[in-house]
Amino acid sequence: MTPMSAPDGKIGKQDAHLLETQASSEKILKGHFLQVFRDTVTLPDGKHTTREYVVHPGAVMIVALLDDGKVVLERQYRYPVQAVMIEFPAGKLDAGESSLACAQRELREETGYTAREWARAGVLHPVISYSTEFIDIWFARGLTLGERKLDAGEFLDVFTATPAELLGWCGNGQVTDAKTLTGMLWLQNMLSGAWTLEWQAAGP
Amino acid sequence: MTPMSAPDGKIGKQDAHLLETQASSEKILKGHFLQVFRDTVTLPDGKHTTREYVVHPGAVMIVALLDDGKVVLERQYRYPVQAVMIEFPAGKLDAGESSLACAQRELREETGYTAREWARAGVLHPVISYSTEFIDIWFARGLTLGERKLDAGEFLDVFTATPAELLGWCGNGQVTDAKTLTGMLWLQNMLSGAWTLEWQAAGP
């Protein structure tokens, strides 16, 4: 009843009883936005099955801390869930773009804020059963408000809240977006001092 | 810089500047596992765009508390992210199945545990930009270990850990699954007394 190995996602010989290996791969949807593959995989018992999954370029999320202790949030209608969602700012990596450059660009475009200091907290995987997507979690501080510049077809409200207000909304069901709930876990443990961040200057 | 309305996902007149409405809908992938739609939607400014998304039946996750204070976890290889992931037990709703019945079935099948008491903590949406999926968050206590019964083609290890151990893995990057990170947020705030649960007997 203890992990068979260090539970760090790294794969060793001791995990052979869990591994699936690719036998073949086929693109089954070339959408405007979604690219879907179906792979035939060999299971640990030698049998075969298929795995269907979205291939995603990866994304970033930004927990932006204002000097008064509040955080920057968005309200955005999300069509697949038919609801206006409260979220930390986030966005997809452009081709060849670094994670930090993406975080700086998305924060500026969506909210108008630029930050003097940045810290990469970690990464989350939103949907490990059917997407390759990862979301890098960034913290930003030393904020200056400028002009936001939304993409065409992007509509969202920007607002600010205290960490205590956001925590309350996470507990009472007003926040249900998994990346934002994960950002709250980071924020809560960073503010308590349990988890630490390594800050870096924003660069030129 | 304050929300235009109560930030609860409920949609009122004050959200007209955010809403998208369906103009047409087309199924663009009928997979073995993934069903994908492309809708044409009308944006708040009257222009049109397309939204592609996975239609998912919904799922449950279980934070199962042992009498010694530990929680029940799994290690499972997740093909899309090519890694062995640490996760709370979870699974998809069968057609017509209630959320609680699904939680009881998945916990029993995947881990062998049955629980005397259950509490629904809330819900999370793992990927609001391209899936309808929701995951109901259940807590279980009063556990008895029986025989697990994995689905064909399902391979996973079951182990237990203290909340402090799990919190450490969430902070150091050993846990990156968004539902499990969200479960940790619930576990941390439930154990501190900040958030409360309404327990119910498991039923016959």
Side-chain angles (χ1 to χ4, degrees):
Chain A
M1 292 298 277
T2 49
M4 301 293 286
S5 68
D8 58 0
K10 294 204 184 72
I11 295 161
K13 272 184 220 161
Q14 68 283 5
D15 288 324
H17 64 294
L18 298 174
L19 297 193
E20 302 173 357
T21 55
Q22 183 187 73
S24 65
S25 182
E26 177 193 5
K27 189 164 191 171
I28 57 173
L29 177 66
K30 188 178 162 61
H32 303 161
F33 169 67
L34 292 181
Q35 314 303 317
V36 181
F37 286 75
R38 178 186 295 146
D39 289 8
T40 298
V41 304
T42 307
L43 295 170
D45 61 4
K47 292 183 179 164
H48 291 86
T49 192
T50 54
R51 299 287 179 218
E52 294 173 353
Y53 57 98
V54 172
V55 170
H56 190 282
V60 301
M61 168 175 71
I62 305 105
V63 180
L65 308 166
L66 290 159
D67 291 345
D68 67 2
K70 291 187 175 179
V71 293
V72 179
L73 294 165
E74 300 178 354
R75 292 181 72 248
Q76 185 171 8
Y77 184 73
R78 292 300 197 159
Y79 186 81
V81 295
Q82 304 270 305
V84 175
M85 305 294 278
I86 297 174
E87 303 171 49
F88 284 120
K92 273 191 296 186
L93 291 165
D94 284 341
E97 187 178 39
S98 77
S99 175
L100 177 56
C102 179
Q104 294 176 330
R105 177 179 57 74
E106 289 288 351
L107 183 65
R108 191 178 60 245
E109 289 178 359
E110 292 191 352
T111 74
Y113 283 104
T114 51
R116 260 198 327 274
E117 287 183 288
W118 290 82
R120 183 178 174 281
V123 64
L124 69 97
H125 291 93
V127 53
I128 57 182
S129 54
Y130 59 91
S131 175
T132 66
E133 182 175 0
F134 66 87
I135 302 178
D136 270 344
I137 305 163
W138 287 93
F139 277 67
R141 69 183 182 189
L143 300 180
T144 308
L145 186 56
E147 196 77 13
R148 68 178 186 159
K149 206 186 86 184
L150 294 176
D151 288 339
E154 199 170 35
F155 299 86
L156 57 88
D157 289 342
V158 179
F159 70 104
T160 63
T162 65
E165 285 171 329
L166 180 61
L167 185 64
W169 299 334
C170 292
N172 71 13
Q174 291 177 273
V175 172
T176 64
D177 170 47
K179 70 176 178 304
T180 303
L181 292 162
T182 298
M184 185 69 239
L185 180 71
W186 268 97
L187 182 60
Q188 184 168 27
N189 286 287
M190 190 275 292
L191 292 175
S192 78
W195 297 356
T196 53
L197 296 172
E198 288 185 27
W199 293 95
Q200 56 183 280
Chain B
M1 293 296 279
T2 49
M4 301 293 287
S5 69
D8 59 0
K10 294 204 184 72
I11 295 162
K13 273 185 221 164
Q14 68 284 7
D15 288 325
H17 65 294
L18 297 175
L19 297 192
E20 302 172 358
T21 55
Q22 184 187 72
S24 65
S25 182
E26 177 193 4
K27 188 164 192 171
I28 56 172
L29 177 66
K30 187 178 163 60
H32 303 161
F33 170 66
L34 292 181
Q35 314 304 315
V36 180
F37 287 75
R38 177 187 297 146
D39 289 8
T40 298
V41 304
T42 307
L43 295 170
D45 62 4
K47 292 184 179 164
H48 291 87
T49 192
T50 54
R51 299 286 178 219
E52 294 173 354
Y53 57 98
V54 172
V55 170
H56 190 282
V60 301
M61 168 175 72
I62 305 105
V63 180
L65 308 166
L66 290 159
D67 291 344
D68 66 3
K70 290 186 175 180
V71 293
V72 179
L73 293 165
E74 299 178 354
R75 293 180 73 246
Q76 186 171 7
Y77 185 74
R78 293 299 198 160
Y79 186 80
V81 294
Q82 305 269 303
V84 175
M85 304 295 278
I86 297 175
E87 302 172 49
F88 285 120
K92 272 192 295 187
L93 291 165
D94 283 342
E97 187 178 38
S98 76
S99 175
L100 176 56
C102 179
Q104 294 175 332
R105 176 180 58 73
E106 288 288 351
L107 183 65
R108 191 178 59 244
E109 289 178 359
E110 291 190 353
T111 73
Y113 283 103
T114 52
R116 259 199 328 275
E117 287 184 289
W118 290 81
R120 184 177 172 283
V123 64
L124 70 98
H125 291 93
V127 54
I128 56 182
S129 54
Y130 59 90
S131 175
T132 66
E133 182 174 0
F134 66 86
I135 303 177
D136 270 345
I137 305 163
W138 286 93
F139 276 68
R141 68 183 182 190
L143 300 180
T144 308
L145 185 57
E147 196 79 11
R148 68 179 184 159
K149 208 186 86 185
L150 295 177
D151 289 339
E154 199 170 36
F155 299 86
L156 57 88
D157 289 341
V158 178
F159 70 103
T160 63
T162 66
E165 285 171 329
L166 181 60
L167 185 63
W169 299 334
C170 292
N172 71 13
Q174 291 178 273
V175 172
T176 64
D177 170 47
K179 69 175 179 303
T180 303
L181 292 162
T182 299
M184 185 69 240
L185 180 71
W186 268 96
L187 182 59
Q188 185 168 25
N189 286 287
M190 191 275 292
L191 292 175
S192 78
W195 296 356
T196 53
L197 296 172
E198 287 185 28
W199 291 95
Q200 55 182 281

